[in-house]
Amino acid sequence: MFGLIGKMRAQPGKRDELLDILLASIDAMPGCLSYVIARDPSDADAIWVTEVWDSKDSHKASLQLPAVQAAIKQAMPLIAGFDTSIETEPVGGFGLASV
């Protein structure tokens, strides 16, 4: 499995608008096992995204999906930047099969 955990920053006061775009774009993404978007309770402009994929290739392919491309285009003006991004190797957990 392939995992990503990232923190992005919305333009000041635009976090909820950005969350709406991200949540509306969650569709069937082949190979996506988990995709969680969360508010950072200690930072009014921060969003955490936690992803689990069956492979790194599936994640890469998802970035070419028309719905994902449209969401990226719509979201970009609302994104102030990306603070943290780490790759992980999930081994299982609630909702995920163990490898």
Side-chain angles (χ1 to χ4, degrees), residues 24-94:
S25 68
I26 297 174
D27 237 348
M29 294 185 286
C32 184
L33 304 176
S34 177
Y35 193 87
V36 177
I37 301 166
R39 290 184 189 96
D40 186 324
S42 65
D43 184 337
D45 296 319
I47 297 169
W48 286 93
V49 180
T50 305
E51 306 174 49
V52 179
W53 296 84
D54 63 1
S55 70
K56 191 171 189 172
D57 288 339
S58 291
H59 173 261
K60 185 176 179 180
S62 75
L63 299 174
Q64 302 307 312
L65 294 170
V68 173
Q69 287 286 313
I72 291 169
K73 185 177 180 179
Q74 189 179 8
M76 284 306 292
L78 303 176
I79 299 172
F82 298 89
D83 288 357
T84 304
S85 180
I86 59 169
E87 291 186 12
T88 65
E89 294 180 2
V91 295
F94 185 79

